[in-house]
PDB file of all heavy atoms in Angstrom:
ATOM      1  N   ILE A 330     -12.016  16.783  18.025  1.00 96.00           N
ATOM      2  CA  ILE A 330     -13.083  16.043  18.691  1.00 96.00           C
ATOM      3  C   ILE A 330     -14.336  16.914  18.709  1.00 96.00           C
ATOM      4  O   ILE A 330     -14.275  18.108  18.392  1.00 96.00           O
ATOM      5  CB  ILE A 330     -12.700  15.655  20.139  1.00 96.00           C
ATOM      6  CG1 ILE A 330     -12.340  16.903  20.960  1.00 96.00           C
ATOM      7  CG2 ILE A 330     -11.564  14.667  20.157  1.00 96.00           C
ATOM      8  CD1 ILE A 330     -12.260  16.627  22.441  1.00 96.00           C
ATOM      9  N   GLN A 331     -15.453  16.319  19.076  1.00 97.00           N
ATOM     10  CA  GLN A 331     -16.705  17.089  19.045  1.00 97.00           C
ATOM     11  C   GLN A 331     -16.941  17.856  20.348  1.00 97.00           C
ATOM     12  O   GLN A 331     -17.337  19.010  20.308  1.00 97.00           O
ATOM     13  CB  GLN A 331     -17.868  16.151  18.702  1.00 97.00           C
ATOM     14  CG  GLN A 331     -17.781  15.714  17.241  1.00 97.00           C
ATOM     15  CD  GLN A 331     -18.682  14.547  16.899  1.00 97.00           C
ATOM     16  OE1 GLN A 331     -18.797  13.604  17.685  1.00 97.00           O
ATOM     17  NE2 GLN A 331     -19.309  14.595  15.741  1.00 97.00           N
ATOM     18  N   CYS A 332     -16.704  17.204  21.478  1.00 98.00           N
ATOM     19  CA  CYS A 332     -16.999  17.882  22.757  1.00 98.00           C
ATOM     20  C   CYS A 332     -15.871  17.716  23.757  1.00 98.00           C
ATOM     21  O   CYS A 332     -15.256  16.648  23.824  1.00 98.00           O
ATOM     22  CB  CYS A 332     -18.237  17.277  23.430  1.00 98.00           C
ATOM     23  SG  CYS A 332     -19.667  17.190  22.395  1.00 98.00           S
ATOM     24  N   TYR A 333     -15.647  18.761  24.523  1.00 98.00           N
ATOM     25  CA  TYR A 333     -14.747  18.646  25.679  1.00 98.00           C
ATOM     26  C   TYR A 333     -15.584  19.024  26.901  1.00 98.00           C
ATOM     27  O   TYR A 333     -16.210  20.091  26.926  1.00 98.00           O
ATOM     28  CB  TYR A 333     -13.556  19.583  25.542  1.00 98.00           C
ATOM     29  CG  TYR A 333     -12.495  19.310  26.597  1.00 98.00           C
ATOM     30  CD1 TYR A 333     -11.408  18.492  26.332  1.00 98.00           C
ATOM     31  CD2 TYR A 333     -12.605  19.863  27.879  1.00 98.00           C
ATOM     32  CE1 TYR A 333     -10.458  18.209  27.296  1.00 98.00           C
ATOM     33  CE2 TYR A 333     -11.659  19.589  28.858  1.00 98.00           C
ATOM     34  CZ  TYR A 333     -10.587  18.769  28.563  1.00 98.00           C
ATOM     35  OH  TYR A 333      -9.651  18.493  29.513  1.00 98.00           O
ATOM     36  N   VAL A 334     -15.583  18.174  27.888  1.00 98.00           N
ATOM     37  CA  VAL A 334     -16.405  18.439  29.073  1.00 98.00           C
ATOM     38  C   VAL A 334     -15.515  19.016  30.180  1.00 98.00           C
ATOM     39  O   VAL A 334     -14.582  18.363  30.644  1.00 98.00           O
ATOM     40  CB  VAL A 334     -17.112  17.150  29.543  1.00 98.00           C
ATOM     41  CG1 VAL A 334     -17.875  17.394  30.840  1.00 98.00           C
ATOM     42  CG2 VAL A 334     -18.060  16.649  28.454  1.00 98.00           C
ATOM     43  N   VAL A 335     -15.805  20.265  30.548  1.00 97.00           N
ATOM     44  CA  VAL A 335     -15.058  20.969  31.594  1.00 97.00           C
ATOM     45  C   VAL A 335     -15.846  20.847  32.895  1.00 97.00           C
ATOM     46  O   VAL A 335     -17.064  21.045  32.895  1.00 97.00           O
ATOM     47  CB  VAL A 335     -14.910  22.461  31.212  1.00 97.00           C
ATOM     48  CG1 VAL A 335     -14.500  23.295  32.404  1.00 97.00           C
ATOM     49  CG2 VAL A 335     -13.915  22.619  30.068  1.00 97.00           C
ATOM     50  N   THR A 336     -15.167  20.496  33.962  1.00 96.00           N
ATOM     51  CA  THR A 336     -15.895  20.377  35.238  1.00 96.00           C
ATOM     52  C   THR A 336     -15.352  21.349  36.280  1.00 96.00           C
ATOM     53  O   THR A 336     -14.166  21.663  36.286  1.00 96.00           O
ATOM     54  CB  THR A 336     -15.793  18.947  35.821  1.00 96.00           C
ATOM     55  OG1 THR A 336     -14.424  18.635  36.007  1.00 96.00           O
ATOM     56  CG2 THR A 336     -16.423  17.929  34.925  1.00 96.00           C
ATOM     57  N   LEU A 337     -16.277  21.786  37.121  1.00 91.00           N
ATOM     58  CA  LEU A 337     -15.958  22.751  38.178  1.00 91.00           C
ATOM     59  C   LEU A 337     -16.571  22.238  39.459  1.00 91.00           C
ATOM     60  O   LEU A 337     -17.774  22.309  39.636  1.00 91.00           O
ATOM     61  CB  LEU A 337     -16.689  24.071  37.884  1.00 91.00           C
ATOM     62  CG  LEU A 337     -16.091  25.064  36.925  1.00 91.00           C
ATOM     63  CD1 LEU A 337     -17.183  26.045  36.494  1.00 91.00           C
ATOM     64  CD2 LEU A 337     -14.989  25.813  37.643  1.00 91.00           C
ATOM     65  N   GLY A 338     -15.749  21.640  40.327  1.00 90.00           N
ATOM     66  CA  GLY A 338     -16.309  21.196  41.608  1.00 90.00           C
ATOM     67  C   GLY A 338     -16.504  19.693  41.681  1.00 90.00           C
ATOM     68  O   GLY A 338     -16.469  18.988  40.671  1.00 90.00           O
ATOM     69  N   GLU A 339     -16.679  19.213  42.937  1.00 89.00           N
ATOM     70  CA  GLU A 339     -16.724  17.794  43.250  1.00 89.00           C
ATOM     71  C   GLU A 339     -17.952  17.101  42.663  1.00 89.00           C
ATOM     72  O   GLU A 339     -17.854  16.063  42.003  1.00 89.00           O
ATOM     73  CB  GLU A 339     -16.711  17.660  44.781  1.00 89.00           C
ATOM     74  CG  GLU A 339     -16.151  16.355  45.305  1.00 89.00           C
ATOM     75  CD  GLU A 339     -14.917  15.861  44.577  1.00 89.00           C
ATOM     76  OE1 GLU A 339     -13.938  16.639  44.372  1.00 89.00           O
ATOM     77  OE2 GLU A 339     -14.947  14.686  44.186  1.00 89.00           O
ATOM     78  N   MET A 340     -19.131  17.729  42.901  1.00 90.00           N
ATOM     79  CA  MET A 340     -20.386  17.151  42.393  1.00 90.00           C
ATOM     80  C   MET A 340     -20.360  17.097  40.866  1.00 90.00           C
ATOM     81  O   MET A 340     -20.781  16.129  40.247  1.00 90.00           O
ATOM     82  CB  MET A 340     -21.561  18.060  42.805  1.00 90.00           C
ATOM     83  CG  MET A 340     -21.955  17.887  44.237  1.00 90.00           C
ATOM     84  SD  MET A 340     -23.698  17.520  44.356  1.00 90.00           S
ATOM     85  CE  MET A 340     -24.476  18.806  43.387  1.00 90.00           C
ATOM     86  N   ALA A 341     -19.868  18.195  40.309  1.00 92.00           N
ATOM     87  CA  ALA A 341     -19.817  18.307  38.851  1.00 92.00           C
ATOM     88  C   ALA A 341     -18.953  17.197  38.264  1.00 92.00           C
ATOM     89  O   ALA A 341     -19.290  16.605  37.241  1.00 92.00           O
ATOM     90  CB  ALA A 341     -19.254  19.668  38.452  1.00 92.00           C
ATOM     91  N   LYS A 342     -17.838  16.908  38.920  1.00 93.00           N
ATOM     92  CA  LYS A 342     -16.932  15.862  38.440  1.00 93.00           C
ATOM     93  C   LYS A 342     -17.691  14.535  38.320  1.00 93.00           C
ATOM     94  O   LYS A 342     -17.623  13.841  37.306  1.00 93.00           O
ATOM     95  CB  LYS A 342     -15.764  15.725  39.432  1.00 93.00           C
ATOM     96  CG  LYS A 342     -14.870  14.559  39.208  1.00 93.00           C
ATOM     97  CD  LYS A 342     -13.803  14.881  38.196  1.00 93.00           C
ATOM     98  CE  LYS A 342     -13.034  13.638  37.812  1.00 93.00           C
ATOM     99  NZ  LYS A 342     -12.026  13.885  36.836  1.00 93.00           N
ATOM    100  N   LYS A 343     -18.447  14.214  39.394  1.00 93.00           N
ATOM    101  CA  LYS A 343     -19.169  12.949  39.401  1.00 93.00           C
ATOM    102  C   LYS A 343     -20.221  12.917  38.277  1.00 93.00           C
ATOM    103  O   LYS A 343     -20.354  11.931  37.556  1.00 93.00           O
ATOM    104  CB  LYS A 343     -19.839  12.780  40.765  1.00 93.00           C
ATOM    105  CG  LYS A 343     -20.342  11.400  40.981  1.00 93.00           C
ATOM    106  CD  LYS A 343     -20.578  11.080  42.421  1.00 93.00           C
ATOM    107  CE  LYS A 343     -21.218   9.693  42.493  1.00 93.00           C
ATOM    108  NZ  LYS A 343     -21.881   9.470  43.741  1.00 93.00           N
ATOM    109  N   LYS A 344     -20.924  14.029  38.146  1.00 92.00           N
ATOM    110  CA  LYS A 344     -21.957  14.098  37.112  1.00 92.00           C
ATOM    111  C   LYS A 344     -21.324  13.976  35.711  1.00 92.00           C
ATOM    112  O   LYS A 344     -21.885  13.355  34.811  1.00 92.00           O
ATOM    113  CB  LYS A 344     -22.706  15.438  37.230  1.00 92.00           C
ATOM    114  CG  LYS A 344     -23.899  15.564  36.318  1.00 92.00           C
ATOM    115  CD  LYS A 344     -25.052  14.711  36.814  1.00 92.00           C
ATOM    116  CE  LYS A 344     -26.188  14.658  35.807  1.00 92.00           C
ATOM    117  NZ  LYS A 344     -27.189  13.666  36.192  1.00 92.00           N
ATOM    118  N   SER A 345     -20.140  14.588  35.586  1.00 95.00           N
ATOM    119  CA  SER A 345     -19.491  14.594  34.264  1.00 95.00           C
ATOM    120  C   SER A 345     -19.139  13.178  33.816  1.00 95.00           C
ATOM    121  O   SER A 345     -19.230  12.850  32.634  1.00 95.00           O
ATOM    122  CB  SER A 345     -18.237  15.466  34.270  1.00 95.00           C
ATOM    123  OG  SER A 345     -17.155  14.777  34.856  1.00 95.00           O
TER     124      SER A 345
END
Side-chain angles (χ1 to χ4, degrees):
I330 57 167
Q331 289 166 319
C332 308
Y333 190 95
V334 175
V335 164
T336 58
L337 277 163
E339 206 41 49
M340 282 234 309
K342 171 85 189 179
K343 193 161 175 199
K344 187 74 188 171
S345 79

